[in-house]
Amino acid sequence: MTQPRDLSRRRLLFGGAAVGAGVLLAGCTSNESTPTAAQTKAADNAEGGNAAPGKKVTIGFSAPAADHGWIAAITNNAKAQAGAYSDVDFKTVEAGADAAAQRAALSTLVAQKPDVIVVLPHDGKELNAFGLESMKAGIPVVNLDRAFPDALAYRLQIMGDNYGMGVAAANFIVEQLKAKGVSNPVIGEIPGIDSLELTQQRSKGFADTLATAGFKVANRRPAEFTADSGQQAATGLFQALPKIDAVWNHDDDQGIGVLAAVNQANRKEFFMVGGAGSKKAMEDIQADNTVLKATVTYSPSMASSAISLARLIAQGKGMSDLVELQVPKEIVLASETITKENASNYLKLGF
Amino acid sequence: MSKEPTSPTGDKAPLVEAPADTVAGEVVLRLTDVVKTFPGVRALDGVQLEVRAGEVHCLLGQNGAGKSTLIKVLAGVHRPDSGQVQWRGEPAHFANPQAAMRAGIATIYQELDLVEDLSVAENAFLGHEPKVAGFVRRGLMARRTREILSRLGHGEIPPGRMVRALPAAGKQVVSMARALSHEARLIIMDEPSAVLAHDEVDNLFRIIRELTAQGIAVIYISHRMEEIREIGDRVTVLKDGRTTAANLPARDTPTRDLVARMTGRTIEYVFPDRPAAPATGDELLRVDGLSRTGEFADVSLSVRPGEIVGIAGLVGSGRSELLETIYGARRAESGTIRMGGRTLRPGSVGAAVRAGMGMAPEERKSQALLLGEPIHRNVTLATFTRYARLGFTNAGRERAEAERIADDLQLRPNDVRRAVRTLSGGNQQKVVVGRWLLGDTRLLLLDEPTRGVDVGARAELYRVIRGLAAQGVGVLLVSSEVPEVLGLADRVLVMREGRMVREAPAGELDENTVLDLVMAGSLMEGAPA
Amino acid sequence: MSESTGTATPDRPADLPAQSPPVDPAVTASLKEKPRTGGLSFWSGDGGEGAKRNLGLIGVLVVLIVIGAATRWDLYSNPDWVWGNTLTILKLASVVGVVTVGMTFVIIGGGIDLSVGAIVALAGVWATTVATQSYGAGGMIFTAIVVGVAVGLVNGILISYGRLVAFIATLAMMVAARGLAAQISGKQTQVSNNSFINGIASTDLLGIPLLVYILAAVVAAGWVLLNRTTFGRRTVAVGGNPEAARLAGINVRRHTLLLYALSGLCCGIAAIMLTAQANSAQAAMANLYELDAIAAAIIGGTLLSGGRGTIIGSLLGVLIFSTITNLFAINGLSTEAQNMVKGGIIVGAVLIQQVQFRSVTQFLSRNKLTTPA
């Protein structure tokens, strides 16, 4: 993985020259996190001989341009996992800015006749037609995270559980509050971009589960998956609720800003649950020196799994722990709750 | 040169009318005693006009004689205050330009009002496209445009071509096609030859002849005598909003008679006395061989300190462009400009201002004023940096200086905090000129300083300009009003079609000579062609 | 029209110079100074009209606060909360406020800067790279400001010397700067580990947050720059009538260039403030700040076509927006409704300004203070 490091060195050189500020030049260090080995599945660890080099296969991959740590981690994980196999030829295309651009990029990928395509679509509905076409042309499609509505459009679908995230976060909060004996708690929520379906699913899971305990969300201030918007949303939330018992923040990236706001407003009376499972969040939970006490995962490690399973599909193999001779059609990852107690186990999966 | 028919001051000029029936055809348009006033100005003050079917009727008159207003009355833009407009035997009232169009009067303005990014056919039928159920019948429109264009002798222009891609002459044909698409019975052409090259004018005349042969009447406005002689049937002369001569035969009326009808005093120009001893001394401004393609060529001139040099010329003769080039607002293609012996960096207003030039441009509102800003900020626009210290403006000093200028120029109203927008034209012009009275202006360039300025303010402006000269400031003045140039300047340059055709002390020229020079040069003696 | 007014007939003696004092001798007399009464009021720089408009905006703010008090009296009845909330609104306004000051200059100068949000992001990201952070707070602040000014200069060069339309040049910069920011950050959220920088957002002086002081300082500097310096005068002239400014000897191109550099400088300052608030920077930060800044300037009375505008008005515009955000937050209302109300306020403010302007011109023409010419 020396390539990204070199690239970033060139970037900084270029930038330094452009500004003419020597300050920027020295101490050149990459800011691009290279995926840790632990987020991939090392080939030699695999059991049952599935990892042993088999038929040479070509895997095509496409994900939206990363504007967020999670997506960046998806791409990096996929690349790293493919690199772990000597029998995988990995072809990736940038998906561009929207569904139309991704469709165009994918058609060039299909033209190269890969054995299998792994795709994280901009929008599952809009790229459903691509899935159908590709499957019809005999190239199996592995859908990553954003479902195609049509069952014929994919060979394998592997995704996180948005509703389940809300459920997990609510369960943790309910459990904690019950333990403290709080009967009528004030609960705040800071979702990500509110117009996205995944945000709505997460919020629904959260609200449904709270309702079973007789709790409800007192105020809900959406952010935009960025730290600065998280800070502003949290500031608004604190202003509206002078006393809070618990907060669920959907996304650990925007959580950086939320924690900054906590610090700036000097509010310590509540505890917070995060979302997605970033490395920084896990470290904070482990250190136990912030209001962040837990985070519910929506792990980008699913990209690594998707590559592994795509390879098996192309080679006609099944998952060695299962009885079936082929890879299953759908896998939904459980949203796990990371707390101080188990954080050390998950730290390697943080992005 | 005869000054015979000069009219008595302030009285209505006697109407000279040629014997009728020199032209066949019924009278399509008759104007009787048409009056149109604007606040402060009687733009039309009793106009008589008679136009017959199938004739080319020429309108002559100096700038400000009321030609533009008259056109706008006929085109339905303005409504006359009194008097009668008879159109094809009926009294007519055109509420708006569309009404005039529908009645069969089409106007082709000097700035062609075409939509550059629409096709020829779309322009020709703009606003009255043949339609079925709300859809434009493009095929029919193209076919009819082609018919009209071949009627005009220009069947080669494709109806689908974008107007932007056509040369000026082609655009003019499209304007005429539009007129014909309305089945116009009268087409008014405002200086149509101004935008055309020489050989294109011949083509224009051919088209005009074809139109008149079809019984269409044409009102033709031009300053070029030879054109009037060639294409015109009858001539009506306007002066100061009145008809001074009607229905003169275009071919035989001597030029001097026509010129005489256009000149003479009715405006009281009050010029301060010219100092007895004309300015001497080293040249302040020296321009040598200045040229810009299509605007002016090989112009040389000089201005001494305290001297007022006037440039007489028509709109389009290149005089405004010349002034702007001297000022650095346009870059000369060849030639040099020297101030006090030092050559100026070409194309730099900053260099010109630093060398002591100031300019009052032709278009006050668009080129000189911040209309929403108060008077004092407009007056100090070129000098506020001089009063500033370390970049901080000195508001008190600026106000004081501006108030001094306002008092001096008798600005009305005299409150310098008032927005310039609220001032009359004359007072706005005082603000522009006043700007250069601050600081150390050594040469003032004035482009049409009294356009749109009422008589009282005019006299004050003349006084200011004279006063500046008396202080040793050189003045280079451009005006299309010949009396103004003659009355104000010490030395006069006559400019026609981008070239200097005559230079003489003001005392040696009279109005008729200058007017003749700027128009056609037919009476010109010994001047370079 | 000009032709028709070029002549006058002697039947209007009122226009004749008889009325005016005897002619001359000359402008030399002009050197005698005439004392005047009436000094410059504090508001005179912003113009009387502007001050009146600002009173209207303050009225809107008061109405918003009254609505807040009426809907959440349980909170507003506590003076401590009210004070804290006021500071929160000011803090919320601080970053956009600084950006808006730069934007106001650009718009008064006849331009537009769509790239401000992207410049904030790029400056923030550049200032938080591991390399830059190794130079400490000084290095980070220096970097953010240099990056902001440099990008502003590129905008200015493209617009004034490359003759690109401002809208297009800054739109291109908006896309490109976000791209470069994403490239530098590797699309990651870059956490700021510098306690001094992070402290900018959490430090109070005399009970008032440091961010509010920064906003106040930038606004005050902007006000002085616009109303008391030659730079401000040139800005109004260049935006009000670029041709007139050019013919008066002002270097319009150089000034335009400087305006965009100034906007970039404000973005650099804002980048530090926003990085401090979020304890981090990323390529997607300061999302749509360009629209917030333009909207605030417009409801503050800045003419989009240039030549008119006030810093105080723009500040009030920003405060109105952050008060609305706060109002919706404390009532737990959805952001969709909040955006609709913001849109309505922009339209309302512009409509009111038009009506005011029209009534002023009608008043003037009724009193024959203008003459059409």
Side-chain angles (χ1 to χ4, degrees), chain B residues 39-40 412-413 418 421-424, chain C residues 12 360-372:
Chain B
R412 279 185 303 267
R418 192 180 275 277
R421 189 192 304 283
T422 63
L423 297 182
S424 68
Chain C
R12 290 191 63 221
V360 166
T361 40
Q362 272 166 7
F363 171 81
L364 290 174
S365 58
R366 244 203 326 277
N367 291 274
K368 301 215 186 297
L369 296 175
T370 57
T371 55

Side-chain angles (χ1 to χ4, degrees), chain B residues 38-43 45 63-69 72 240 266-267 270 327 329 349 353 361 365-370 373 377 380-382 384-385 388 391-393 395-396 398-400 403-404 407-408 410 414 418 421-422 424-425 436-437 451-452 454-456 458-460 463-464 467 471 481, chain C residues 1-12 15-17 19-24 26-40 44-45 224 226-231 233-234 236-250 307-308 357 361 364 369-373:
Chain B
F38 295 106
V41 182
R42 255 172 121 78
D45 192 19
N63 282 12
K67 294 180 309 244
S68 296
T69 311
K72 285 178 180 166
D240 301 335
T266 50
I267 298 175
V270 181
Y327 191 55
V349 173
V353 170
K365 289 183 181 176
S366 64
Q367 292 186 296
L369 291 170
L370 304 172
E373 289 284 291
R377 291 199 167 191
T380 57
L381 186 64
F384 64 86
T385 43
F392 286 89
T393 50
E398 281 184 35
R399 276 279 286 280
E403 278 166 357
R404 182 168 64 77
D407 284 349
D408 227 41
Q410 292 159 15
N414 200 304
R418 192 180 275 277
R421 189 192 304 283
T422 63
S424 68
W436 300 107
L437 303 187
R451 171 181 286 190
D454 63 64
V455 178
R458 240 171 225 252
E460 284 163 26
R463 179 184 62 88
V464 169
Q471 283 178 301
E481 291 185 39
Chain C
M1 195 70 184
S2 57
E3 179 169 318
S4 57
T5 52
T7 60
T9 45
D11 57 358
R12 290 191 63 221
D15 274 340
L16 288 175
Q19 200 185 37
S20 50
V23 171
D24 250 2
V27 189
T28 38
S30 66
L31 290 173
K32 65 176 191 296
E33 195 95 14
K34 189 184 167 196
R36 286 273 172 169
T37 51
L40 295 159
S44 68
V224 169
L226 183 61
N227 297 302
R228 291 285 178 266
T229 68
T230 55
F231 184 91
R233 289 289 298 283
R234 287 196 195 100
V236 175
V238 164
N241 189 341
E243 179 71 359
R246 190 173 76 104
L247 292 180
I250 293 172
R308 194 186 77 193
F357 184 73
T361 40
L364 290 174
L369 296 175
T370 57
T371 55

Side-chain angles (χ1 to χ4, degrees), chain B residues 333-393:
Chain B
E333 283 162 10
S334 62
T336 55
I337 301 156
R338 271 172 293 181
M339 272 290 278
R342 291 178 53 186
T343 305
L344 291 185
R345 189 151 65 89
S348 165
V349 173
V353 170
R354 276 191 296 280
M357 277 196 216
M359 174 155 119
E362 184 177 11
E363 300 292 339
R364 263 193 307 278
K365 289 183 181 176
S366 64
Q367 292 186 296
L369 291 170
L370 304 172
L371 290 171
E373 289 284 291
I375 293 167
H376 64 88
R377 291 199 167 191
N378 274 282
V379 170
T380 57
L381 186 64
T383 45
F384 64 86
T385 43
R386 294 169 198 240
Y387 313 129
R389 208 185 307 156
L390 299 171
F392 286 89
T393 50

Side-chain angles (χ1 to χ4, degrees), chain B residues 224-243:
Chain B
R224 295 182 184 158
M225 217 59 205
E226 69 267 23
E227 291 180 6
I228 291 171
R229 296 251 184 264
E230 188 179 342
I231 193 72
D233 295 308
R234 298 191 298 172
V235 178
T236 291
V237 183
L238 293 184
K239 187 184 63 168
D240 301 335
R242 291 175 202 163
T243 303

